[in-house]
Amino acid sequence: MANVIDITGLPPERIVFSPSPLAELGAALHALSEPGHHPGLHGWVTATSSALKTDLADRLCEADFLWRSARSDLLLPARPGATLADDLDAMDTIDDERFVAAAFEITCSTSYARCTPSPLVDAEERARVREMAAARGPRQAAFTDRMLTDPDGLRIWLRRLFEDCEEAFFGDIWRRVGIQLTADARHKTELLRRKGLAETLPATSTALSLESGPGGTARILVDKLAGGRTTAFEDGDDPGVTFVPTSFGWPHLLVSHAPGWRPVIQYPVASPELPAPATLELVHQRLDALAHPMRMKLCRSLSRGPHTTGELANAFGITSPEVSRHIATLKKAGLIQTRRRGRYVLHQLDLQVVARLGSDFLEGVLR
């Protein structure tokens, strides 16, 4: 599956790489609320959480549905500003109906890619939003009621929350990472100018690629389990695609493609110590390879050390050709390392690759 952004006929200058303080604040808030997604940030999360004043921590909990399980489109500006205040000023220009709809699509929309009426003007949608919010607990129910009854007041409240985050911790973060993100955006912009989009996309993320078709059609493909389609001309007043680098976002690759909004992709800046992620197709192939009971047994032996085909056949009471077929499947999925020692061919499980699939499986075969 993939997210697809149709860019047919889009001038190259309409593809923009730019850092956004608000988007980076959203990534940092997500890491604070879901530290399990970001093991490399555990030290920062612990230090920052422990230093938060109680009032600020409580207010962040009250609004965390905007960034916890996903990220509200409000936090992914299509035209990033130079400062957080610039991004917040731009957010203030969004009309109430679009603002409220964008806030509630995170937890209350049945279809992100379908236009739905605003709960501010549609009684049926308002009742549905309230019901779904209530199912998520009293805190979100109360926040929802405030948004529906006093959107202007809550927008002021939310802006003040972000400004307090800047004073408490984000200002220091942005002074540190903003330079890096600006440099990355400039590098990608220059790469786009010199090499074109086909080379710039995979350099931005291995999950991004360009698909060209007949008649000059072109589409950006984003390798994600969640599918979606949009066009760079959704925002008719200002067509284009915006790429926003993030230092706090790994491993997430976010795509904003709601109807009527300019598409935005927030991509993690590459870190040299992080291995390149496997494609979803390869992950699926590996899971299929491991689903067979006999291959699971073979992996148990191969996780402990190298074995020949004959040794495995004798150990499990099957023929050497059967072992060879199973080994070929595992090897094609990149799970097996093979080396020759004299006249013997030895196979061994690649523990680093398996570990990235999941610690439960690795512990199971090593148990």
Side-chain angles (χ1 to χ4, degrees):
M1 295 182 69
N3 279 233
V4 179
I5 303 174
D6 190 339
I7 59 169
T8 303
L10 185 72
E13 62 270 17
R14 287 289 184 173
I15 298 174
V16 177
F17 287 83
S18 176
S20 162
L22 180 58
E24 193 65 2
L25 174 58
L29 292 175
H30 170 73
L32 284 174
S33 61
E34 288 289 359
H37 292 191
H38 307 274
L41 296 176
H42 279 179
W44 175 83
V45 168
T46 301
T48 303
S49 298
S50 61
L52 287 178
K53 293 182 179 179
T54 303
D55 172 68
L56 179 56
D58 289 343
R59 285 185 289 149
L60 287 174
C61 288
E62 190 173 350
D64 71 353
F65 75 94
L66 292 172
W67 53 76
R68 176 181 284 274
S69 60
R71 203 81 51 78
S72 171
D73 288 345
L74 298 172
L75 303 179
L76 292 172
R79 300 160 191 84
T83 66
L84 181 62
D86 291 337
D87 279 347
L88 295 178
D89 287 344
M91 190 170 71
D92 286 343
T93 65
I94 303 173
D95 65 77
D96 282 348
E97 291 183 15
R98 294 191 76 187
F99 186 93
V100 172
F104 288 134
E105 60 85 5
I106 287 300
T107 54
C108 300
S109 176
T110 55
S111 176
Y112 174 76
R114 187 178 71 242
C115 286
T116 56
S118 168
L120 291 180
V121 297
D122 186 88
E124 183 177 343
E125 181 69 9
R126 184 162 57 251
R128 187 185 67 82
V129 161
R130 278 195 163 118
E131 180 180 353
M132 295 188 71
R136 286 163 175 79
R139 188 174 63 200
Q140 181 159 346
F143 192 94
T144 298
D145 283 336
R146 290 175 61 194
M147 180 72 85
L148 293 174
T149 57
D150 183 19
D152 288 337
L154 196 54
R155 289 173 70 148
I156 294 172
W157 180 92
L158 193 61
R159 176 169 184 140
R160 180 58 186 271
L161 174 65
F162 293 151
E163 290 171 343
D164 289 347
C165 287
E166 182 177 36
E167 182 178 348
F169 63 89
F170 184 70
D172 291 337
I173 289 174
W174 187 248
R175 281 188 288 273
R176 186 176 74 251
V177 306
I179 297 173
Q180 175 195 15
L181 299 183
T182 299
D184 185 86
R186 287 175 178 167
H187 170 69
K188 297 300 192 304
T189 300
E190 181 63 18
L191 186 63
L192 177 64
R193 186 186 67 81
R194 291 187 294 106
K195 299 291 188 178
L197 190 59
E199 290 195 31
T200 304
L201 288 176
T204 301
S205 168
T206 55
L208 297 174
S209 60
L210 180 67
E211 180 182 78
S212 300
T217 60
R219 307 189 305 170
I220 296 174
L221 304 183
V222 188
D223 186 33
K224 289 174 70 74
L225 280 174
R229 290 179 176 272
T230 190
T231 169
F233 296 90
E234 274 287 354
D235 185 348
D237 295 332
D238 187 19
V241 182
T242 302
F243 290 83
V244 179
T246 172
S247 179
F248 277 73
W250 186 89
H252 304 305
L253 180 71
L254 302 184
V255 184
S256 169
H257 57 88
W261 294 67
R262 179 171 175 164
V264 178
I265 298 175
Q266 186 184 42
Y267 64 94
V269 172
S271 182
E273 67 274 11
L274 296 175
T279 64
L280 289 174
E281 182 181 0
L282 181 56
V283 172
H284 186 264
Q285 183 181 9
R286 288 172 175 172
L287 293 176
D288 274 351
L290 294 170
H292 194 285
M294 178 53 69
R295 289 197 281 271
M296 284 279 286
K297 293 178 181 179
L298 293 173
C299 284
R300 185 176 185 277
S301 293
L302 295 174
S303 68
R304 286 161 168 77
H307 290 75
T308 66
T309 300
E311 289 172 334
L312 294 170
N314 291 332
F316 294 102
I318 58 177
T319 65
S320 291
E322 286 179 285
V323 172
S324 295
R325 285 194 293 270
H326 288 308
I327 290 294
T329 299
L330 293 169
K331 190 173 181 180
K332 187 176 181 181
L335 297 167
I336 293 291
Q337 294 177 332
T338 298
R339 69 178 188 272
R340 179 174 291 277
R341 189 176 63 197
R343 63 188 183 92
Y344 297 102
V345 176
L346 298 169
H347 312 287
Q348 188 167 11
L349 194 66
D350 189 330
L351 295 181
Q352 288 187 339
V353 170
V354 174
R356 297 192 65 200
L357 282 175
S359 59
D360 284 347
F361 174 79
L362 181 59
E363 292 170 9
V365 296
L366 291 174
R367 187 178 300 135

